[in-house]
PDB file of all heavy atoms in Angstrom:
ATOM      1  N   TRP A  40      26.385-114.569 -13.767  1.00 87.00           N
ATOM      2  CA  TRP A  40      25.551-114.566 -12.578  1.00 87.00           C
ATOM      3  C   TRP A  40      24.135-114.046 -12.779  1.00 87.00           C
ATOM      4  O   TRP A  40      23.200-114.544 -12.152  1.00 87.00           O
ATOM      5  CB  TRP A  40      26.226-113.730 -11.481  1.00 87.00           C
ATOM      6  CG  TRP A  40      27.504-114.346 -11.049  1.00 87.00           C
ATOM      7  CD1 TRP A  40      28.751-113.935 -11.387  1.00 87.00           C
ATOM      8  CD2 TRP A  40      27.682-115.499 -10.229  1.00 87.00           C
ATOM      9  NE1 TRP A  40      29.696-114.749 -10.830  1.00 87.00           N
ATOM     10  CE2 TRP A  40      29.069-115.726 -10.105  1.00 87.00           C
ATOM     11  CE3 TRP A  40      26.813-116.361  -9.582  1.00 87.00           C
ATOM     12  CZ2 TRP A  40      29.582-116.773  -9.370  1.00 87.00           C
ATOM     13  CZ3 TRP A  40      27.335-117.399  -8.848  1.00 87.00           C
ATOM     14  CH2 TRP A  40      28.710-117.592  -8.749  1.00 87.00           C
ATOM     15  N   ASP A  41      23.950-113.029 -13.585  1.00 85.00           N
ATOM     16  CA  ASP A  41      22.621-112.435 -13.745  1.00 85.00           C
ATOM     17  C   ASP A  41      21.785-113.300 -14.685  1.00 85.00           C
ATOM     18  O   ASP A  41      22.103-113.440 -15.858  1.00 85.00           O
ATOM     19  CB  ASP A  41      22.727-111.010 -14.286  1.00 85.00           C
ATOM     20  CG  ASP A  41      23.462-110.094 -13.330  1.00 85.00           C
ATOM     21  OD1 ASP A  41      23.553-110.435 -12.146  1.00 85.00           O
ATOM     22  OD2 ASP A  41      23.941-109.039 -13.773  1.00 85.00           O
ATOM     23  N   LYS A  42      20.731-113.867 -14.160  1.00 84.00           N
ATOM     24  CA  LYS A  42      19.881-114.759 -14.945  1.00 84.00           C
ATOM     25  C   LYS A  42      18.528-114.106 -15.186  1.00 84.00           C
ATOM     26  O   LYS A  42      18.031-113.344 -14.368  1.00 84.00           O
ATOM     27  CB  LYS A  42      19.660-116.089 -14.221  1.00 84.00           C
ATOM     28  CG  LYS A  42      20.936-116.798 -13.821  1.00 84.00           C
ATOM     29  CD  LYS A  42      21.681-117.279 -15.040  1.00 84.00           C
ATOM     30  CE  LYS A  42      22.941-118.019 -14.599  1.00 84.00           C
ATOM     31  NZ  LYS A  42      23.879-118.225 -15.613  1.00 84.00           N
ATOM     32  N   ALA A  43      17.934-114.459 -16.316  1.00 85.00           N
ATOM     33  CA  ALA A  43      16.588-113.957 -16.627  1.00 85.00           C
ATOM     34  C   ALA A  43      15.589-114.619 -15.674  1.00 85.00           C
ATOM     35  O   ALA A  43      15.776-115.773 -15.275  1.00 85.00           O
ATOM     36  CB  ALA A  43      16.242-114.292 -18.065  1.00 85.00           C
ATOM     37  N   PRO A  44      14.530-113.916 -15.296  1.00 88.00           N
ATOM     38  CA  PRO A  44      13.546-114.511 -14.390  1.00 88.00           C
ATOM     39  C   PRO A  44      12.841-115.697 -15.047  1.00 88.00           C
ATOM     40  O   PRO A  44      12.636-115.727 -16.266  1.00 88.00           O
ATOM     41  CB  PRO A  44      12.568-113.368 -14.102  1.00 88.00           C
ATOM     42  CG  PRO A  44      12.872-112.306 -15.087  1.00 88.00           C
ATOM     43  CD  PRO A  44      14.231-112.544 -15.645  1.00 88.00           C
ATOM     44  N   ILE A  45      12.483-116.677 -14.227  1.00 90.00           N
ATOM     45  CA  ILE A  45      11.808-117.883 -14.706  1.00 90.00           C
ATOM     46  C   ILE A  45      10.307-117.703 -14.528  1.00 90.00           C
ATOM     47  O   ILE A  45       9.840-117.274 -13.474  1.00 90.00           O
ATOM     48  CB  ILE A  45      12.303-119.115 -13.922  1.00 90.00           C
ATOM     49  CG1 ILE A  45      13.792-119.314 -14.140  1.00 90.00           C
ATOM     50  CG2 ILE A  45      11.547-120.361 -14.346  1.00 90.00           C
ATOM     51  CD1 ILE A  45      14.385-120.444 -13.325  1.00 90.00           C
ATOM     52  N   THR A  46       9.554-118.069 -15.548  1.00 94.00           N
ATOM     53  CA  THR A  46       8.096-117.948 -15.469  1.00 94.00           C
ATOM     54  C   THR A  46       7.538-119.012 -14.519  1.00 94.00           C
ATOM     55  O   THR A  46       8.206-120.009 -14.210  1.00 94.00           O
ATOM     56  CB  THR A  46       7.452-118.129 -16.852  1.00 94.00           C
ATOM     57  OG1 THR A  46       7.713-119.468 -17.290  1.00 94.00           O
ATOM     58  CG2 THR A  46       7.985-117.127 -17.854  1.00 94.00           C
ATOM     59  N   LEU A  47       6.308-118.817 -14.095  1.00 95.00           N
ATOM     60  CA  LEU A  47       5.672-119.770 -13.195  1.00 95.00           C
ATOM     61  C   LEU A  47       5.501-121.131 -13.858  1.00 95.00           C
ATOM     62  O   LEU A  47       5.644-122.170 -13.209  1.00 95.00           O
ATOM     63  CB  LEU A  47       4.315-119.229 -12.738  1.00 95.00           C
ATOM     64  CG  LEU A  47       4.369-118.009 -11.823  1.00 95.00           C
ATOM     65  CD1 LEU A  47       2.965-117.500 -11.546  1.00 95.00           C
ATOM     66  CD2 LEU A  47       5.075-118.344 -10.528  1.00 95.00           C
ATOM     67  N   GLU A  48       5.225-121.132 -15.142  1.00 95.00           N
ATOM     68  CA  GLU A  48       5.087-122.399 -15.873  1.00 95.00           C
ATOM     69  C   GLU A  48       6.405-123.158 -15.894  1.00 95.00           C
ATOM     70  O   GLU A  48       6.443-124.373 -15.701  1.00 95.00           O
ATOM     71  CB  GLU A  48       4.601-122.123 -17.301  1.00 95.00           C
ATOM     72  CG  GLU A  48       4.446-123.350 -18.158  1.00 95.00           C
ATOM     73  CD  GLU A  48       3.433-124.339 -17.616  1.00 95.00           C
ATOM     74  OE1 GLU A  48       2.477-123.925 -16.917  1.00 95.00           O
ATOM     75  OE2 GLU A  48       3.604-125.546 -17.877  1.00 95.00           O
ATOM     76  N   GLU A  49       7.504-122.461 -16.122  1.00 94.00           N
ATOM     77  CA  GLU A  49       8.814-123.110 -16.112  1.00 94.00           C
ATOM     78  C   GLU A  49       9.151-123.637 -14.730  1.00 94.00           C
ATOM     79  O   GLU A  49       9.704-124.736 -14.592  1.00 94.00           O
ATOM     80  CB  GLU A  49       9.894-122.130 -16.565  1.00 94.00           C
ATOM     81  CG  GLU A  49       9.885-121.825 -18.037  1.00 94.00           C
ATOM     82  CD  GLU A  49      10.952-120.813 -18.402  1.00 94.00           C
ATOM     83  OE1 GLU A  49      10.670-119.607 -18.277  1.00 94.00           O
ATOM     84  OE2 GLU A  49      12.054-121.241 -18.777  1.00 94.00           O
ATOM     85  N   GLN A  50       8.833-122.873 -13.675  1.00 94.00           N
ATOM     86  CA  GLN A  50       9.074-123.326 -12.312  1.00 94.00           C
ATOM     87  C   GLN A  50       8.305-124.610 -12.022  1.00 94.00           C
ATOM     88  O   GLN A  50       8.828-125.540 -11.415  1.00 94.00           O
ATOM     89  CB  GLN A  50       8.679-122.241 -11.311  1.00 94.00           C
ATOM     90  CG  GLN A  50       9.601-121.056 -11.287  1.00 94.00           C
ATOM     91  CD  GLN A  50       9.136-119.989 -10.308  1.00 94.00           C
ATOM     92  OE1 GLN A  50       8.155-120.157  -9.597  1.00 94.00           O
ATOM     93  NE2 GLN A  50       9.855-118.883 -10.277  1.00 94.00           N
ATOM     94  N   ARG A  51       7.043-124.668 -12.459  1.00 95.00           N
ATOM     95  CA  ARG A  51       6.225-125.848 -12.235  1.00 95.00           C
ATOM     96  C   ARG A  51       6.797-127.056 -12.980  1.00 95.00           C
ATOM     97  O   ARG A  51       6.923-128.148 -12.432  1.00 95.00           O
ATOM     98  CB  ARG A  51       4.784-125.598 -12.702  1.00 95.00           C
ATOM     99  CG  ARG A  51       3.831-126.761 -12.408  1.00 95.00           C
ATOM    100  CD  ARG A  51       2.517-126.618 -13.143  1.00 95.00           C
ATOM    101  NE  ARG A  51       2.668-126.513 -14.590  1.00 95.00           N
ATOM    102  CZ  ARG A  51       2.958-127.541 -15.403  1.00 95.00           C
ATOM    103  NH1 ARG A  51       3.130-128.735 -14.918  1.00 95.00           N
ATOM    104  NH2 ARG A  51       3.063-127.349 -16.700  1.00 95.00           N
ATOM    105  N   ARG A  52       7.207-126.852 -14.240  1.00 95.00           N
ATOM    106  CA  ARG A  52       7.763-127.936 -15.041  1.00 95.00           C
ATOM    107  C   ARG A  52       9.059-128.474 -14.429  1.00 95.00           C
ATOM    108  O   ARG A  52       9.273-129.684 -14.356  1.00 95.00           O
ATOM    109  CB  ARG A  52       8.026-127.437 -16.468  1.00 95.00           C
ATOM    110  CG  ARG A  52       8.503-128.518 -17.417  1.00 95.00           C
ATOM    111  CD  ARG A  52       8.825-127.949 -18.787  1.00 95.00           C
ATOM    112  NE  ARG A  52       9.781-126.856 -18.746  1.00 95.00           N
ATOM    113  CZ  ARG A  52      11.101-127.001 -18.604  1.00 95.00           C
ATOM    114  NH1 ARG A  52      11.624-128.189 -18.454  1.00 95.00           N
ATOM    115  NH2 ARG A  52      11.902-125.947 -18.601  1.00 95.00           N
ATOM    116  N   ILE A  53       9.918-127.579 -13.936  1.00 92.00           N
ATOM    117  CA  ILE A  53      11.173-127.991 -13.310  1.00 92.00           C
ATOM    118  C   ILE A  53      10.904-128.770 -12.031  1.00 92.00           C
ATOM    119  O   ILE A  53      11.530-129.803 -11.767  1.00 92.00           O
ATOM    120  CB  ILE A  53      12.071-126.760 -13.041  1.00 92.00           C
ATOM    121  CG1 ILE A  53      12.580-126.180 -14.357  1.00 92.00           C
ATOM    122  CG2 ILE A  53      13.246-127.127 -12.148  1.00 92.00           C
ATOM    123  CD1 ILE A  53      13.247-124.820 -14.219  1.00 92.00           C
ATOM    124  N   ALA A  54       9.956-128.304 -11.229  1.00 92.00           N
ATOM    125  CA  ALA A  54       9.624-128.993  -9.979  1.00 92.00           C
ATOM    126  C   ALA A  54       9.059-130.381 -10.252  1.00 92.00           C
ATOM    127  O   ALA A  54       9.366-131.344  -9.540  1.00 92.00           O
ATOM    128  CB  ALA A  54       8.636-128.159  -9.175  1.00 92.00           C
ATOM    129  N   GLU A  55       8.234-130.519 -11.284  1.00 92.00           N
ATOM    130  CA  GLU A  55       7.642-131.818 -11.614  1.00 92.00           C
ATOM    131  C   GLU A  55       8.662-132.786 -12.192  1.00 92.00           C
ATOM    132  O   GLU A  55       8.525-134.001 -12.052  1.00 92.00           O
ATOM    133  CB  GLU A  55       6.491-131.644 -12.603  1.00 92.00           C
ATOM    134  CG  GLU A  55       5.256-131.039 -11.996  1.00 92.00           C
ATOM    135  CD  GLU A  55       4.156-130.809 -13.023  1.00 92.00           C
ATOM    136  OE1 GLU A  55       4.402-131.019 -14.236  1.00 92.00           O
ATOM    137  OE2 GLU A  55       3.069-130.395 -12.602  1.00 92.00           O
ATOM    138  N   SER A  56       9.679-132.294 -12.852  1.00 92.00           N
ATOM    139  CA  SER A  56      10.649-133.172 -13.503  1.00 92.00           C
ATOM    140  C   SER A  56      11.760-133.632 -12.566  1.00 92.00           C
ATOM    141  O   SER A  56      12.578-134.468 -12.957  1.00 92.00           O
ATOM    142  CB  SER A  56      11.261-132.471 -14.711  1.00 92.00           C
ATOM    143  OG  SER A  56      12.028-131.364 -14.296  1.00 92.00           O
ATOM    144  N   ARG A  57      11.805-133.141 -11.349  1.00 90.00           N
ATOM    145  CA  ARG A  57      12.828-133.573 -10.392  1.00 90.00           C
ATOM    146  C   ARG A  57      12.554-134.996  -9.941  1.00 90.00           C
ATOM    147  O   ARG A  57      11.429-135.377  -9.660  1.00 90.00           O
ATOM    148  CB  ARG A  57      12.839-132.656  -9.177  1.00 90.00           C
ATOM    149  CG  ARG A  57      13.510-131.344  -9.444  1.00 90.00           C
ATOM    150  CD  ARG A  57      14.045-130.727  -8.165  1.00 90.00           C
ATOM    151  NE  ARG A  57      14.801-129.542  -8.495  1.00 90.00           N
ATOM    152  CZ  ARG A  57      14.382-128.302  -8.286  1.00 90.00           C
ATOM    153  NH1 ARG A  57      13.218-128.096  -7.720  1.00 90.00           N
ATOM    154  NH2 ARG A  57      15.126-127.281  -8.630  1.00 90.00           N
TER     155      ARG A  57
END
Side-chain angles (χ1 to χ4, degrees):
W40 295 104
D41 297 340
K42 306 292 181 195
I45 298 176
T46 64
L47 292 175
E48 179 61 28
E49 287 178 275
Q50 289 178 3
R51 184 193 57 75
R52 185 183 55 78
I53 291 169
E55 287 177 354
S56 66
R57 283 205 174 106

